[in-house]
Amino acid sequence: MASADKICFIITANPPSPNSYIKAGEICFIDRQRFDLRQKRNDTKILPVVCMGTTFDVYLNEVLLQQLKPRSAELLLALESNEMRLLALKDPEALKEASNLSEGSRVYVEYKGQWLKGVIRYIGGLSPLSHMSDPIRGGFFGVELQGEDKGKGQNDGSYLHKTYFKCPKNSGIFAPFTRIKAVDHKPSAPPLPTQSSMSMTSTEPLKVGDRVTFLGDINDHHGMIMDIKDSPDGKMVLISTDRDEEGKQGGEMLVPLDFVIKEEPLNKDETDKMDTSQGSEKGGVTDSDEITVGSLVQILGKKLAYGIVRWIGSLPDYLEKIAGLELEDSSAGVNDGTYKGKRYFTCPPHCGLFVKLSSCRPDDRFSGAKKQQFNGHSDHNGAIVYEEQENVPPIRTEDVSKRLIGKKKGIQGHCNSCYMDSALFSVFSCSSVLDSLLFKSTEHETIQSILLKNIVNPLRKQGFVSERSVMNLRKQLQKREHCPTYTTDEKDPEEFLTLIMQEILSLDPPLKLCSQSGSRQKVQSCYYYQIFMDYNHHLVLPTVQQLLEHSFYSNSLKLAEVPACLILTMPRSGKSFKMFPKIIPSTELDITGLLADGPQQCVLCGQLANEECAECFRDTVISDTGFKYFCVKCSAQVHSHQQRRCHKPGSLLLPQGFSYSQSSGSDRRTPPREKLELFAVLCIETSHYVSFVKYGPQDTDWIFFDSMADRVGEIDGYNIPEVRACPEVGQYLHMPLAQLANQVPREMEGVAKRLFCDGYMYLYQSKTMSLYR
């Protein structure tokens, strides 16, 4: 993991959503290089962050987040609960003061309701990192009590049998910064973190109409205060909720005042500034329902000019709505987004132009006669070009060649849409594993309807989707204010899929991970898994199976259950550096050994295993598989070898329905194997996404999709998508490992090189979980 100075630390200061498994008060981080790259692209509205204790990205809106200094992140991480972190965040001076403390500083430390005098002897963590991917540990203060308070503490500088500093017996205390004060700021009472203190009512009184967050039995909830009442048990707050305790829309709840926290938008000064100077730049609909920020437009001046709307709002001396355009032709513009010395948007010199919004028209190059001839569908004033009412199942193996293969097939690309085109094609063309997204009950019916009727159904029935339909989806995402650049900028496919599954359609996370932290097991839910690798893996030409096993092993993870859909992203740094020059797709992923519960086979005899040895993981002499499970007899034999005598195998729980024989020590039945099948791979090269889809049972049943394979015209042209058969992929997958390693990428047949060298995201499905069978 990168050092802390190469990491941006963040706290979720507001809860992401009522249904989210991420809570307010979580400490998260993002690689600084990755964050700086997004800043250069002006793409920080949605950030891919990793929460401490997990190993995968979560995409969160920046309005929910607050950036932290590394020292502040360590101090907050030491607090026991998210609520305590949120409370501490309200006192930035205390954080600053604690950050300035050092070993040798004289302080007061709170212990059992008393403030005791002492000297700081240690600052740092008290336990190992919960995950190898975690860049920091919680920052605690080790204090040696002094003078008359000596002997009133709890230890001698040791914690969990490890010595952090030395002092007399019962004269040491370990405490977070909320229980530490410098000697010149002696507190009058200890800051005990009671529920009452968390309500914030002492400093910020609540009133009717305030937006609030409150803690339910399971999740955080949100709503507006309707009334504040007195009761025998204290003050109660009547709240009109966004969602009730059962997750249903609306409703009212009576909540104790001490459970309520007032919601406040972060960076209020910046928000106010944006609202007044940027007009409608957030992407909301303007007076025209057709033209928004990000729309492709044309204007008629001395000649016809084309551009993208970058800003909409008001300018001094003008009563009408004004649009700020970035023009394609630099000779037609007059500025760089600046008007009378004030910047409203940014574009290259001589490409900017301010015009009346009413003078703009939708770019007819994508809705005129050329387009109608190209896609065969009517297009009325840029509206949805095609709507398939019938729900269509995925394309069958025998229909792929006649319905899907050829030019002008697949999804037409336009304006940096390749990440979305490839993701939609991969997920929906020949698989139904995520079709529940299309039919589940949702409050975002417009987005779901576009996805089903204008993209998925036409793709499956006609084999083609116009860029208009995808642009309409992008506009709807932009209207929801999930990201102001969804109609113009390139994104990551996992960001898009997570947004659709989590924030828009609220799909239950398909992936449940068990993480082991000491003797405690924690289950985490996520929508995809980012593979992290340590640098001791010794893999040269890895398979996806090996990468997943090594990543789970390094991060102490197991699967809590068999996922219906498993989305994996490969280890790389940004879009340029790849950890491996080639990755071999595992067309079948055996996840039996990755399951936390369930019967396991002995890797030697195949019978029911009752022991697991983590120290045998890297031992390829026993087996090529990663996790090693043994029956009693084979374990004794394996660990009789002098190199393995120091290993400490752990016992497995006996699955229900299995029993060990008294004579052999094992159940002779062979436990079943749990396997997932590969159905698609997204690849990236020089910021352009393409995809491969495994559409049938034969080794040669592979197709390749590129939404921008060809183009007609230049500035006034359009992209032509293409789907082509690529049976050569099967040939390379059957090659011996040594022969495949010696293949020169540029000499590989067809498009196979892109699958093996540019693989970015691998999508697996359970055969038993498809909607249509």
Side-chain angles (χ1 to χ4, degrees):
M1 190 67 199
S3 59
D5 61 343
K6 296 181 180 179
I7 297 292
C8 287
F9 292 94
I10 296 165
I11 185 170
T12 53
N14 282 333
S17 72
N19 293 330
S20 178
Y21 57 91
I22 303 298
K23 306 301 178 187
E26 297 277 1
I27 304 295
C28 308
F29 60 92
I30 180 174
D31 181 79
R32 185 171 296 279
Q33 183 179 6
R34 191 178 187 187
F35 180 74
D36 291 344
L37 180 61
R38 281 182 167 261
Q39 277 193 318
K40 289 180 182 178
R41 288 163 37 190
N42 195 26
D43 186 20
T44 57
K45 183 71 175 180
I46 302 290
L47 285 176
V49 300
V50 180
C51 291
M52 295 290 293
T54 69
T55 58
F56 42 83
D57 287 347
V58 178
Y59 285 86
L60 297 178
N61 194 305
E62 66 173 354
V63 76
L64 310 172
L65 307 173
Q66 179 171 323
Q67 194 165 342
L68 299 171
K69 293 181 179 179
R71 187 75 182 118
S72 297
E74 290 178 327
L75 294 174
L76 289 169
L77 189 61
L79 300 181
E80 292 181 1
S81 67
N82 291 4
E83 290 79 11
M84 293 176 68
R85 294 185 195 121
L86 293 173
L87 179 60
L89 206 59
K90 292 287 185 177
D91 190 359
E93 285 302 317
L95 259 177
K96 182 178 180 181
E97 182 180 292
S99 299
N100 293 330
L101 293 174
S102 59
E103 292 183 18
S105 296
R106 298 174 63 80
V107 295
Y108 289 100
V109 56
E110 185 276 322
Y111 183 61
K112 292 185 177 181
Q114 291 184 303
W115 287 98
L116 309 176
K117 198 169 185 178
V119 176
I120 295 176
R121 299 300 188 196
Y122 171 79
I123 301 176
L126 296 181
S127 61
L129 297 175
S130 60
H131 279 273
M132 292 185 66
S133 59
D134 287 349
I136 59 171
R137 296 184 294 173
F140 290 85
F141 292 88
V143 178
E144 179 183 354
L145 299 179
Q146 302 283 299
E148 62 183 16
D149 291 331
K150 187 179 294 186
K152 297 180 180 180
Q154 60 187 160
N155 55 55
D156 61 354
S158 300
Y159 181 78
L160 294 180
H161 309 294
K162 182 176 180 180
T163 299
Y164 292 92
F165 66 94
K166 292 183 178 181
C167 69
K169 185 178 180 180
N170 293 330
S171 293
I173 293 176
F174 291 103
F177 81 97
T178 52
R179 291 166 49 199
I180 299 289
K181 294 291 180 182
V183 290
D184 54 343
H185 292 95
K186 181 177 180 180
S188 57
L192 295 179
T194 62
Q195 286 281 11
S196 180
S197 67
M198 292 179 190
S199 68
M200 313 295 181
T201 55
S202 61
T203 57
E204 298 183 20
L206 295 172
K207 61 183 183 297
V208 173
D210 282 347
R211 289 283 305 175
V212 293
T213 297
F214 58 98
L215 309 177
D217 292 339
I218 301 174
N219 297 318
D220 292 349
H221 301 279
H222 315 272
M224 179 180 292
I225 295 180
M226 306 300 292
D227 194 11
I228 301 177
K229 305 178 179 181
D230 289 317
S231 76
D233 298 324
K235 286 189 178 294
M236 302 291 287
V237 181
L238 181 64
I239 298 175
S240 175
T241 66
D242 297 342
R243 290 181 183 272
D244 62 21
E245 193 69 25
E246 297 179 356
K248 297 178 181 178
Q249 186 74 21
E252 292 184 350
M253 294 182 68
L254 198 61
V255 181
L257 179 65
D258 291 341
F259 283 35
V260 176
I261 300 174
K262 184 177 179 180
E263 289 186 359
E264 287 189 359
L266 300 180
N267 303 323
K268 187 175 186 300
D269 293 340
E270 295 181 15
T271 304
D272 291 343
K273 183 179 179 182
M274 182 182 295
D275 289 342
T276 56
S277 66
Q278 299 291 332
S280 303
E281 190 172 6
K282 291 183 180 180
V285 180
T286 66
D287 293 340
S288 167
D289 288 336
E290 184 127 322
I291 297 175
T292 66
V293 173
S295 292
L296 302 171
V297 297
Q298 61 187 36
I299 56 171
L300 183 60
K302 293 181 180 179
K303 63 178 182 177
L304 194 62
Y306 300 93
I308 299 174
V309 178
R310 295 300 191 194
W311 174 88
I312 294 175
S314 300
L315 290 179
D317 307 322
Y318 287 91
L319 297 178
E320 291 191 49
K321 282 279 188 180
I322 303 297
L325 309 183
E326 179 180 349
L327 302 178
E328 293 179 351
D329 184 1
S330 61
S331 64
V334 295
N335 56 52
D336 63 350
T338 302
Y339 178 75
K340 290 188 176 181
K342 184 175 181 180
R343 179 166 299 284
Y344 292 86
F345 66 96
T346 301
C347 70
H350 307 296
C351 287
L353 184 67
F354 292 96
V355 298
K356 294 179 181 179
L357 180 61
S358 58
S359 300
C360 299
R361 296 290 180 270
D363 190 333
D364 64 8
R365 294 174 297 175
F366 301 95
S367 60
K370 289 182 181 179
K371 191 61 171 293
Q372 291 180 24
Q373 182 180 2
F374 170 67
N375 61 33
H377 302 302
S378 62
D379 185 359
H380 301 290
N381 299 322
I384 299 171
V385 297
Y386 185 76
E387 185 170 289
E388 175 56 56
Q389 297 294 339
E390 177 187 359
N391 293 329
V392 186
I395 302 174
R396 297 184 302 176
T397 302
E398 57 268 27
D399 294 332
V400 166
S401 60
K402 63 182 180 182
R403 188 178 303 175
L404 204 54
I405 291 178
K407 287 196 171 185
K408 302 178 184 177
K409 292 291 186 179
I411 301 175
Q412 183 184 21
H414 170 65
C415 195
N416 296 319
S417 68
C418 61
Y419 72 95
M420 189 178 292
D421 306 329
S422 299
L424 291 170
F425 185 88
S426 298
V427 169
F428 293 113
S429 61
C430 300
S431 172
S432 64
V433 71
L434 290 179
D435 274 20
S436 57
L437 285 169
L438 308 174
F439 305 112
K440 72 186 299 292
S441 176
T442 176
E443 61 186 52
H444 300 288
E445 293 180 356
T446 301
I447 292 177
Q448 187 184 52
S449 179
I450 293 171
L451 187 61
L452 173 61
K453 297 179 179 179
N454 306 129
I455 296 177
V456 176
N457 283 342
L459 175 64
R460 291 173 174 178
K461 188 169 185 177
Q462 308 295 328
F464 172 76
V465 178
S466 164
E467 59 83 15
R468 276 286 180 184
S469 295
V470 178
M471 180 58 77
N472 196 31
L473 176 62
R474 297 169 77 183
K475 286 180 178 179
Q476 291 298 322
L477 294 175
Q478 186 165 278
K479 284 181 183 179
R480 301 297 305 179
E481 295 188 357
H482 289 289
C483 182
T485 57
Y486 245 107
T487 58
T488 56
D489 291 0
E490 176 189 326
K491 309 291 180 189
D492 298 322
E494 65 268 29
E495 175 182 350
F496 163 64
L497 290 176
T498 302
L499 174 64
I500 289 291
M501 290 190 287
Q502 178 181 351
E503 296 296 331
I504 303 297
L505 300 180
S506 300
L507 181 74
D508 289 337
L511 188 57
K512 305 289 193 299
L513 299 175
C514 290
S515 60
Q516 195 75 29
S517 180
S519 60
R520 193 161 55 96
Q521 197 175 70
K522 179 182 178 182
V523 176
Q524 309 160 13
S525 300
C526 54
Y527 291 88
Y528 74 97
Y529 179 70
Q530 167 72 58
I531 289 180
F532 289 94
M533 298 293 293
D534 59 44
Y535 290 94
N536 301 316
H537 52 73
H538 304 302
L539 297 176
V540 179
L541 186 60
T543 64
V544 175
Q545 178 87 39
Q546 291 173 320
L547 291 175
L548 183 60
E549 289 175 346
H550 276 73
S551 184
F552 268 42
Y553 171 74
S554 298
N555 294 287
S556 301
L557 294 175
K558 290 289 183 70
L559 291 170
E561 60 187 40
V562 177
C565 181
L566 177 59
I567 301 175
L568 303 173
T569 57
M570 294 299 105
R572 55 166 68 216
S573 177
K575 294 180 174 62
S576 54
F577 172 73
K578 294 182 289 188
M579 185 171 285
F580 303 98
K582 290 193 191 85
I583 294 176
I584 303 174
S586 299
T587 54
E588 198 172 55
L589 202 60
D590 190 335
I591 61 169
T592 311
L594 305 180
L595 292 169
D597 299 312
Q600 299 290 346
Q601 286 185 8
C602 173
V603 294
L604 297 181
C605 69
Q607 294 185 20
L608 183 68
N610 53 6
E611 290 186 1
E612 177 184 6
C613 183
E615 291 144 305
C616 285
F617 179 86
R618 301 182 187 278
D619 196 332
T620 57
V621 175
I622 302 172
S623 162
D624 288 334
T625 59
F627 291 92
K628 304 297 193 300
Y629 301 95
F630 304 97
C631 64
V632 174
K633 184 177 180 181
C634 291
S635 179
Q637 183 178 352
V638 166
H639 292 99
S640 64
H641 193 284
Q642 59 182 4
Q643 293 183 348
R644 305 187 193 98
R645 288 175 184 170
C646 60
H647 291 190
K648 297 178 181 179
S651 298
L652 296 174
L653 291 176
L654 181 66
Q656 188 175 2
F658 286 83
S659 61
Y660 295 123
S661 167
Q662 294 295 328
S663 58
S664 64
S666 177
D667 191 316
R668 291 193 171 276
R669 287 177 294 171
T670 301
R673 308 298 299 180
E674 291 288 354
K675 297 181 179 180
L676 304 177
E677 64 177 11
L678 177 67
F679 70 93
V681 181
L682 271 70
C683 302
I684 182 172
E685 183 182 24
T686 60
S687 296
H688 180 59
Y689 290 94
V690 296
S691 66
F692 290 81
V693 171
K694 181 77 164 59
Y695 66 89
Q698 304 300 319
D699 297 332
T700 55
D701 291 341
W702 284 89
I703 52 176
F704 170 77
F705 165 63
D706 185 349
S707 66
M708 303 178 182
D710 201 357
R711 186 169 178 85
V712 172
E714 296 298 330
I715 295 178
D716 60 346
Y718 53 85
N719 293 308
I720 297 178
E722 180 182 9
V723 180
R724 56 191 286 189
C726 50
E728 66 273 11
V729 168
Q731 166 193 340
Y732 290 104
L733 287 174
H734 275 290
M735 278 187 179
L737 194 62
Q739 185 179 353
L740 185 57
N742 291 328
Q743 291 290 315
V744 179
R746 65 175 177 271
E747 296 178 0
M748 297 177 77
E749 292 183 22
V751 291
K753 171 258 178 186
R754 304 187 74 169
L755 176 63
F756 288 93
C757 299
D758 301 329
Y760 178 80
M761 175 185 284
Y762 293 75
L763 294 91
Y764 288 86
Q765 63 185 355
S766 171
K767 297 179 182 179
T768 60
M769 300 299 287
S770 295
L771 210 59
Y772 310 93
R773 295 200 71 84

